[in-house]
Amino acid sequence: MFCSKCGEEKKNSICPNCGNTVFTPHKLKDLKWDKPKESENRTIFADTSTSDQEAEKWYYVLRGERYGPVSRPELLNLYKSEKIFLSTKVWKAGMSGWVDVNHTDLIDKSNQPPPLQGDDINNTLVWVLAFIPIIGPLLEYIISGAIGETSGSLWFITTIINTILCIIDERKLKKAGYNTKEMLLWAIFIVPVYLFRRAHLLKQKNVYAVVWCITFAIMVFAPTWVSGITGISNPNAIERVQDGTLNSYPNKTVSQMVDNYFLNPKWEAFVGGDRNTYVNVTGEITYQGKQTNVLIQYKLNNDRAFVLNSMEFDGVLQNMTTYTSLMNSMYDE
């Protein structure tokens, strides 16, 4: 038997000369065999992948501005260092328009599962978040009544609830496979932006983001209307009276006048049967030489002003003359 590669006669099954294992019959012995030179019959393929990637120029959008061109490796380094994200818009020559990084072949997804689809992610938490502009102030009002503080001093409760719910939701999205570092900043500082970006990232309709904006607008611009529907007073009603001034007494707020004159003053806001918001302030004063329980009631107008509605001494309705006399005494105190 002869080696079909080098032509030498061999008795074993492996040619010790070249390592070939395929042999031909001896009748081919007289054929001319040329041993291949080590440098022959080799085709050298240059690795052009790296150079092609370096030549490939990409542009990306960051904070509303266009950056680039950068190579593919440079763009990948930006992604790995979390300076750009799956939702970052990118473009290169040959593409019809800007697309998300997640919709390109930049990120190798072959060795990792893709993020969950939007339909597979539970939106219960963000729907609760969408109504926090209403739920939060109501909680502030309830807590303020329980601890004897004004609801305006508890404004941070709504802010904290918004932030906590956004952060919890951001953590859920991260576990679902999304890069959410960029969104975390919006979750802490600007909730509606977080909700709109969330909807875009998950390819969902931004209904919950729109609802948040609507409920926020309702609480800011239509508190009296909400109070009439819910039967609960505007959480800021008491502060409007306390921080306000009376036309004839411009240098002191109502709160300053009451605190300096009343013993154990208490404030209460409620919605009347006419769906108007009223604020009561009660306390004790010395009137005609004896301790007297006083109730002053103010009615809030839609233009954020308020007017005297009634005043009582020990449950007896008083006239405007008595009210004016009392205000003069309170202002001079």
Side-chain angles (χ1 to χ4, degrees):
M1 299 294 287
F2 301 88
C3 177
S4 61
K5 187 173 183 179
C6 63
E8 294 189 12
E9 183 177 10
K10 302 296 176 184
K11 295 183 179 180
N12 51 18
S13 61
I14 298 177
C15 176
N17 183 48
C18 64
N20 187 35
T21 57
V22 181
F23 293 87
T24 59
H26 69 277
K27 65 180 180 179
L28 299 179
K29 179 179 179 181
D30 295 332
L31 292 178
K32 183 178 179 181
W33 298 91
D34 292 325
K35 294 183 180 180
K37 296 180 180 179
E38 188 173 342
S39 60
E40 291 179 351
N41 299 326
R42 292 185 181 180
T43 302
I44 306 300
F45 296 95
D47 184 6
T48 59
S49 60
T50 302
S51 60
D52 288 344
Q53 290 181 2
E54 290 290 342
E56 189 179 70
K57 297 301 181 182
W58 289 81
Y59 295 84
Y60 62 96
V61 176
L62 191 63
R63 294 184 292 274
E65 297 183 11
R66 188 185 71 183
Y67 291 85
V70 296
S71 65
R72 175 184 284 256
E74 289 173 325
L75 197 63
L76 288 174
N77 285 335
L78 289 173
Y79 175 78
K80 291 176 182 178
S81 61
E82 296 188 334
K83 294 181 179 178
I84 65 172
F85 308 90
L86 292 177
S87 59
T88 300
K89 297 291 185 183
V90 294
W91 179 89
K92 70 174 181 177
M95 296 174 60
S96 59
W98 295 89
V99 298
D100 294 350
V101 169
N102 193 41
H103 298 157
T104 68
D105 61 350
L106 284 166
I107 310 301
D108 182 14
K109 306 181 183 72
S110 61
N111 59 352
Q112 58 183 349
L116 296 179
Q117 294 183 355
D119 294 340
D120 297 324
I121 296 177
N122 193 317
N123 286 332
T124 302
L125 191 62
V126 289
W127 276 112
V128 173
L129 183 60
F131 289 94
I132 288 300
I134 289 178
I135 298 173
L138 294 181
L139 288 175
E140 291 172 6
Y141 181 74
I142 294 172
I143 295 173
S144 67
I147 65 177
E149 294 287 340
T150 59
S151 59
S153 64
L154 303 177
W155 59 269
F156 57 87
I157 291 179
T158 298
T159 303
I160 291 175
I161 294 175
N162 269 313
T163 301
I164 290 176
L165 292 182
C166 281
I167 291 176
I168 293 174
D169 184 68
E170 182 269 339
R171 292 289 183 265
K172 289 179 59 179
L173 295 184
K174 192 171 184 178
K175 291 181 179 179
Y178 292 93
N179 187 336
T180 58
K181 181 179 179 180
E182 180 189 30
M183 293 177 60
L184 182 59
L185 296 176
W186 297 116
I188 296 174
F189 296 108
I190 309 179
V191 173
V193 175
Y194 170 81
L195 293 177
F196 279 107
R197 286 182 173 268
R198 182 189 192 276
H200 174 74
L201 184 64
L202 272 60
K203 297 182 178 59
Q204 295 178 337
K205 295 182 179 180
N206 52 22
V207 180
Y208 43 78
V210 173
V211 170
W212 190 97
C213 293
I214 292 174
T215 54
F216 179 80
I218 288 174
M219 293 307 297
V220 171
F221 299 109
T224 303
W225 179 73
V226 174
S227 298
I229 292 178
T230 61
I232 302 175
S233 68
N234 172 16
N236 298 318
I238 293 176
E239 286 80 358
R240 283 172 56 181
V241 176
Q242 288 179 328
D243 298 337
T245 58
L246 303 173
N247 292 335
S248 301
Y249 315 100
N251 297 326
K252 286 186 178 180
T253 65
V254 174
S255 179
Q256 289 173 332
M257 295 171 64
V258 169
D259 291 343
N260 291 336
Y261 202 82
F262 280 33
L263 180 64
N264 300 322
K266 294 182 180 179
W267 296 83
E268 177 190 14
F270 64 95
V271 177
D274 56 0
R275 294 198 172 182
N276 288 311
T277 299
Y278 295 88
V279 174
N280 288 349
V281 55
T282 59
E284 295 179 2
I285 65 171
T286 301
Y287 179 68
Q288 294 181 349
K290 64 177 183 179
Q291 289 296 109
T292 303
N293 293 318
V294 179
L295 182 151
I296 303 177
Q297 184 177 94
Y298 294 100
K299 176 182 176 182
L300 274 64
N301 298 327
N302 292 333
D303 59 359
R304 302 188 65 81
F306 56 90
V307 295
L308 174 69
N309 189 63
S310 65
M311 184 177 74
E312 297 178 0
F313 285 177
D314 290 331
V316 178
L317 188 64
Q318 303 296 310
N319 56 31
M320 182 58 70
T321 301
T322 306
Y323 171 76
T324 303
S325 176
L326 177 61
M327 290 297 106
N328 289 333
S329 300
M330 293 170 62
Y331 188 72
D332 294 336
E333 183 67 22

Coordinates of all heavy atoms in Angstrom, one line a residue, residues 89-147:
K89 N -31.5 55.8 20.4 CA -31.7 55.9 19.0 C -30.3 55.9 18.3 O -29.4 56.6 18.7 CB -32.4 57.1 18.5 CG -33.9 57.2 19.0 CD -34.7 56.1 18.4 CE -36.2 56.2 18.9 NZ -37.1 55.2 18.3
V90 N -30.1 55.0 17.3 CA -28.9 54.9 16.5 C -29.1 54.9 15.0 O -30.3 54.5 14.6 CB -28.0 53.7 16.9 CG1 -27.6 53.8 18.4 CG2 -28.8 52.4 16.7
W91 N -28.1 55.2 14.2 CA -28.3 55.2 12.8 C -26.9 55.0 12.2 O -25.9 55.4 12.7 CB -28.9 56.5 12.3 CG -29.0 56.5 10.8 CD1 -30.1 56.1 10.1 CD2 -28.1 57.0 9.9 NE1 -29.9 56.3 8.7 CE2 -28.6 56.9 8.6 CE3 -26.8 57.6 10.0 CZ2 -28.0 57.3 7.4 CZ3 -26.1 58.0 8.8 CH2 -26.7 57.8 7.6
K92 N -26.9 54.3 11.0 CA -25.7 54.2 10.2 C -26.1 54.2 8.7 O -27.3 54.1 8.4 CB -24.9 52.9 10.5 CG -25.6 51.6 10.0 CD -24.7 50.4 10.2 CE -25.5 49.1 9.7 NZ -24.6 48.0 9.8
A93 N -25.1 54.4 7.8 CA -25.4 54.5 6.4 C -26.1 53.2 5.9 O -25.7 52.1 6.3 CB -24.1 54.7 5.6
G94 N -27.2 53.4 5.2 CA -28.0 52.3 4.7 C -29.3 52.0 5.4 O -30.1 51.3 4.9
M95 N -29.4 52.7 6.6 CA -30.6 52.5 7.4 C -31.6 53.7 6.9 O -31.2 54.8 6.7 CB -30.3 52.6 8.9 CG -29.5 51.4 9.4 SD -29.0 51.6 11.1 CE -30.6 51.6 11.9
S96 N -32.9 53.3 6.9 CA -33.9 54.3 6.5 C -34.2 55.3 7.5 O -34.7 56.4 7.2 CB -35.2 53.6 6.1 OG -35.7 52.8 7.2
G97 N -33.9 55.1 8.8 CA -34.2 56.0 9.9 C -33.6 55.6 11.2 O -32.9 54.5 11.3
W98 N -33.8 56.4 12.2 CA -33.2 56.1 13.5 C -34.0 54.9 14.2 O -35.2 54.9 14.1 CB -33.3 57.3 14.4 CG -32.5 58.5 14.0 CD1 -32.9 59.5 13.1 CD2 -31.1 58.7 14.3 NE1 -31.8 60.3 12.9 CE2 -30.8 59.9 13.7 CE3 -30.2 58.1 15.2 CZ2 -29.5 60.5 13.8 CZ3 -29.0 58.7 15.3 CH2 -28.6 59.8 14.7
V99 N -33.3 54.0 14.8 CA -34.0 52.9 15.5 C -33.3 52.7 16.9 O -32.2 53.2 17.1 CB -33.8 51.6 14.7 CG1 -34.5 51.7 13.4 CG2 -32.4 51.2 14.5
D100 N -34.0 52.0 17.8 CA -33.5 51.7 19.1 C -32.3 50.7 18.9 O -32.3 49.9 18.0 CB -34.5 51.1 20.0 CG -35.6 52.1 20.3 OD1 -35.5 53.3 20.0 OD2 -36.6 51.6 20.9
V101 N -31.3 50.8 19.8 CA -30.2 49.9 19.9 C -30.8 48.4 19.9 O -30.2 47.5 19.3 CB -29.3 50.1 21.1 CG1 -28.3 49.0 21.3 CG2 -28.6 51.4 20.9
N102 N -31.9 48.3 20.7 CA -32.5 47.0 20.8 C -33.0 46.4 19.5 O -33.2 45.2 19.4 CB -33.6 47.0 21.8 CG -34.1 45.7 22.3 OD1 -33.3 44.8 22.6 ND2 -35.4 45.5 22.4
H103 N -33.2 47.2 18.5 CA -33.7 46.7 17.2 C -32.6 46.6 16.2 O -32.9 46.5 15.0 CB -34.8 47.7 16.7 CG -36.0 47.8 17.6 ND1 -36.8 48.8 17.6 CD2 -36.4 46.9 18.5 CE1 -37.8 48.7 18.5 NE2 -37.5 47.5 19.1
T104 N -31.3 46.6 16.6 CA -30.2 46.4 15.7 C -29.5 45.1 16.1 O -29.8 44.4 17.0 CB -29.2 47.6 15.8 OG1 -28.6 47.6 17.1 CG2 -30.0 48.9 15.6
D105 N -28.4 44.8 15.3 CA -27.6 43.6 15.6 C -26.4 44.0 16.4 O -25.4 43.2 16.5 CB -27.1 43.0 14.3 CG -26.3 43.9 13.4 OD1 -26.2 45.1 13.7 OD2 -25.7 43.5 12.4
L106 N -26.4 45.2 17.0 CA -25.3 45.6 17.9 C -25.1 44.7 19.1 O -24.0 44.4 19.4 CB -25.5 47.1 18.3 CG -25.2 48.1 17.3 CD1 -25.8 49.5 17.8 CD2 -23.7 48.3 17.0
I107 N -26.2 44.3 19.7 CA -26.1 43.5 20.9 C -26.3 42.1 20.6 O -27.3 41.7 20.0 CB -27.2 44.0 21.9 CG1 -27.1 45.5 22.1 CG2 -27.0 43.3 23.2 CD1 -25.8 46.0 22.6
D108 N -25.3 41.3 21.0 CA -25.4 39.8 20.8 C -26.4 39.2 21.8 O -26.2 39.1 23.0 CB -24.1 39.2 21.0 CG -24.1 37.7 20.7 OD1 -25.1 37.2 20.1 OD2 -23.1 37.0 21.0
K109 N -27.6 38.8 21.2 CA -28.6 38.3 22.1 C -28.6 36.7 22.0 O -29.5 36.1 22.6 CB -30.0 38.8 21.7 CG -30.0 40.3 21.6 CD -31.4 40.8 21.3 CE -31.5 42.3 21.1 NZ -30.8 42.8 19.9
S110 N -27.7 36.1 21.4 CA -27.7 34.7 21.2 C -27.4 33.9 22.4 O -27.9 32.8 22.6 CB -26.6 34.3 20.1 OG -25.3 34.7 20.6
N111 N -26.7 34.5 23.4 CA -26.3 33.8 24.6 C -27.1 34.3 25.8 O -26.7 34.0 26.9 CB -24.8 33.9 24.9 CG -24.4 35.3 25.0 OD1 -25.2 36.2 24.8 ND2 -23.1 35.5 25.4
Q112 N -28.2 35.0 25.6 CA -29.0 35.5 26.7 C -30.4 35.6 26.3 O -30.7 35.9 25.1 CB -28.5 36.8 27.3 CG -28.4 37.9 26.2 CD -27.9 39.2 26.8 OE1 -27.7 39.3 28.0 NE2 -27.6 40.2 25.9
P113 N -31.4 35.3 27.2 CA -32.8 35.4 26.8 C -33.1 36.9 26.5 O -32.6 37.8 27.2 CB -33.5 34.9 28.0 CG -32.6 35.1 29.2 CD -31.2 34.9 28.6
P114 N -34.1 37.1 25.6 CA -34.5 38.5 25.3 C -35.4 39.0 26.5 O -35.9 38.2 27.3 CB -35.3 38.3 24.0 CG -35.8 36.9 24.1 CD -34.7 36.1 24.8
P115 N -35.5 40.3 26.6 CA -36.4 40.9 27.6 C -37.8 40.4 27.4 O -38.2 40.1 26.3 CB -36.3 42.4 27.4 CG -35.0 42.6 26.7 CD -34.8 41.4 25.8
L116 N -38.6 40.3 28.5 CA -40.0 39.9 28.4 C -40.7 41.0 27.5 O -40.4 42.1 27.5 CB -40.6 39.8 29.7 CG -40.1 38.8 30.7 CD1 -40.8 38.8 32.0 CD2 -40.2 37.4 30.1
Q117 N -41.7 40.5 26.8 CA -42.5 41.4 26.0 C -43.5 42.2 26.9 O -43.8 41.8 28.0 CB -43.4 40.6 25.0 CG -42.5 39.9 23.9 CD -43.4 39.2 22.9 OE1 -44.6 39.2 23.0 NE2 -42.7 38.7 21.8
G118 N -43.9 43.4 26.4 CA -44.7 44.2 27.2 C -46.0 43.5 27.7 O -46.4 43.8 28.9
D119 N -46.5 42.7 26.9 CA -47.8 42.0 27.3 C -47.6 41.0 28.5 O -48.5 40.6 29.1 CB -48.4 41.2 26.1 CG -48.8 42.2 25.0 OD1 -49.0 43.4 25.3 OD2 -49.0 41.7 23.8
D120 N -46.3 40.6 28.7 CA -46.0 39.6 29.7 C -45.7 40.3 31.1 O -45.5 39.6 32.1 CB -44.9 38.7 29.3 CG -45.2 37.9 28.1 OD1 -46.4 37.5 27.9 OD2 -44.3 37.7 27.2
I121 N -45.7 41.6 31.1 CA -45.3 42.4 32.3 C -46.6 42.9 33.0 O -47.4 43.5 32.3 CB -44.3 43.5 32.0 CG1 -43.0 42.9 31.5 CG2 -44.1 44.4 33.2 CD1 -42.0 43.9 31.1
N122 N -46.7 42.7 34.2 CA -47.9 43.2 35.0 C -47.8 44.7 35.2 O -46.8 45.2 35.7 CB -47.9 42.5 36.4 CG -49.2 42.6 37.1 OD1 -49.8 43.7 37.1 ND2 -49.7 41.6 37.7
N123 N -48.9 45.4 34.8 CA -49.0 46.8 34.9 C -49.8 47.3 36.0 O -50.1 48.5 36.1 CB -49.6 47.4 33.6 CG -48.6 47.3 32.4 OD1 -47.4 47.4 32.6 ND2 -49.1 47.2 31.2
T124 N -50.1 46.4 37.0 CA -51.0 46.9 38.1 C -50.3 48.0 38.9 O -51.0 49.0 39.3 CB -51.2 45.7 39.1 OG1 -51.9 44.6 38.3 CG2 -52.1 46.1 40.2
L125 N -49.0 47.9 39.1 CA -48.3 48.9 39.9 C -48.3 50.3 39.2 O -48.6 51.3 39.9 CB -46.9 48.5 40.1 CG -46.1 49.3 41.1 CD1 -46.7 49.1 42.5 CD2 -44.6 48.8 41.2
V126 N -48.1 50.3 37.9 CA -48.1 51.6 37.2 C -49.5 52.2 37.2 O -49.7 53.4 37.1 CB -47.5 51.5 35.8 CG1 -46.0 51.3 35.9 CG2 -48.2 50.5 35.0
W127 N -50.5 51.4 37.2 CA -51.9 51.9 37.2 C -52.2 52.5 38.5 O -52.9 53.5 38.6 CB -52.9 50.8 36.8 CG -53.1 50.7 35.3 CD1 -52.7 49.7 34.5 CD2 -53.6 51.7 34.4 NE1 -53.0 49.9 33.2 CE2 -53.6 51.1 33.1 CE3 -54.2 52.9 34.6 CZ2 -54.0 51.8 32.0 CZ3 -54.6 53.7 33.5 CH2 -54.6 53.1 32.2
V128 N -51.7 51.9 39.6 CA -51.8 52.6 40.9 C -51.1 53.9 40.9 O -51.6 54.9 41.4 CB -51.3 51.6 42.0 CG1 -51.2 52.4 43.4 CG2 -52.1 50.4 42.1
L129 N -49.9 53.9 40.3 CA -49.1 55.1 40.2 C -49.8 56.2 39.4 O -49.7 57.4 39.7 CB -47.8 54.7 39.5 CG -46.7 55.8 39.4 CD1 -46.3 56.4 40.7 CD2 -45.5 55.3 38.6
A130 N -50.6 55.8 38.4 CA -51.3 56.8 37.6 C -52.3 57.6 38.4 O -52.6 58.7 38.0 CB -52.0 56.1 36.4
F131 N -52.8 57.0 39.5 CA -53.8 57.7 40.3 C -53.2 58.3 41.6 O -54.0 58.8 42.4 CB -55.0 56.8 40.6 CG -55.8 56.5 39.4 CD1 -55.6 55.3 38.6 CD2 -56.9 57.3 39.0 CE1 -56.4 55.1 37.5 CE2 -57.6 57.1 37.9 CZ -57.4 55.9 37.2
I132 N -51.9 58.2 41.7 CA -51.3 58.8 43.0 C -51.5 60.3 43.1 O -51.7 60.8 44.2 CB -49.8 58.4 43.0 CG1 -49.6 57.0 43.3 CG2 -49.1 59.3 44.0 CD1 -50.2 56.5 44.6
P133 N -51.6 61.1 42.0 CA -51.9 62.5 42.2 C -53.2 62.8 42.9 O -53.3 63.9 43.5 CB -51.9 63.1 40.8 CG -51.0 62.2 40.0 CD -51.2 60.8 40.6
I134 N -54.1 61.8 42.9 CA -55.3 62.0 43.7 C -55.2 61.2 45.0 O -55.6 61.8 46.1 CB -56.5 61.4 42.9 CG1 -56.9 62.4 41.7 CG2 -57.8 61.3 43.8 CD1 -58.0 61.9 40.9
I135 N -54.7 60.0 45.0 CA -54.6 59.2 46.2 C -53.7 59.9 47.2 O -54.0 59.9 48.4 CB -54.1 57.8 45.9 CG1 -55.1 57.1 44.9 CG2 -53.9 57.0 47.1 CD1 -54.6 55.7 44.4
G136 N -52.5 60.4 46.8 CA -51.6 61.0 47.7 C -52.1 62.1 48.5 O -52.0 62.1 49.7
P137 N -52.7 63.2 47.9 CA -53.3 64.3 48.7 C -54.4 63.8 49.6 O -54.6 64.4 50.7 CB -53.9 65.2 47.6 CG -53.0 65.0 46.4 CD -52.7 63.5 46.4
L138 N -55.2 62.8 49.2 CA -56.2 62.3 50.1 C -55.6 61.6 51.4 O -56.1 61.8 52.5 CB -57.1 61.3 49.4 CG -58.0 61.8 48.3 CD1 -58.8 60.7 47.6 CD2 -58.8 63.0 48.7
L139 N -54.5 60.9 51.2 CA -53.8 60.3 52.3 C -53.2 61.4 53.2 O -53.2 61.3 54.4 CB -52.7 59.4 51.8 CG -53.1 58.1 51.2 CD1 -51.9 57.3 50.6 CD2 -53.8 57.2 52.2
E140 N -52.7 62.5 52.6 CA -52.1 63.6 53.3 C -53.2 64.2 54.2 O -53.0 64.5 55.4 CB -51.6 64.6 52.4 CG -50.3 64.2 51.6 CD -49.9 65.2 50.6 OE1 -50.5 66.2 50.5 OE2 -49.0 64.9 49.8
Y141 N -54.4 64.3 53.6 CA -55.5 65.0 54.4 C -55.9 64.1 55.5 O -56.1 64.6 56.7 CB -56.7 65.2 53.4 CG -57.8 65.9 54.1 CD1 -57.8 67.2 54.5 CD2 -59.0 65.1 54.4 CE1 -58.9 67.8 55.1 CE2 -60.1 65.7 55.1 CZ -60.0 67.1 55.4 OH -61.1 67.7 56.0
I142 N -56.0 62.8 55.3 CA -56.4 61.8 56.4 C -55.4 61.8 57.5 O -55.7 61.9 58.7 CB -56.6 60.4 55.8 CG1 -57.8 60.4 54.8 CG2 -56.8 59.4 56.9 CD1 -58.0 59.1 54.0
I143 N -54.1 61.7 57.1 CA -53.0 61.7 58.1 C -53.0 63.0 58.9 O -52.8 63.0 60.1 CB -51.7 61.4 57.4 CG1 -51.7 60.0 56.8 CG2 -50.5 61.5 58.4 CD1 -50.5 59.6 56.0
S144 N -53.2 64.1 58.2 CA -53.1 65.4 58.8 C -54.2 65.5 59.9 O -54.0 66.1 61.0 CB -53.2 66.6 57.8 OG -54.5 66.6 57.2
G145 N -55.4 65.0 59.6 CA -56.4 65.0 60.6 C -56.1 64.2 61.8 O -56.5 64.5 62.9
A146 N -55.4 63.1 61.5 CA -55.2 62.1 62.6 C -54.1 62.6 63.6 O -54.1 62.4 64.8 CB -54.7 60.8 62.1
I147 N -53.1 63.4 63.0 CA -52.0 63.9 63.9 C -52.1 65.3 64.2 O -51.2 65.9 64.9 CB -50.6 63.6 63.2 CG1 -50.5 64.4 61.9 CG2 -50.5 62.1 62.9 CD1 -49.2 64.2 61.2

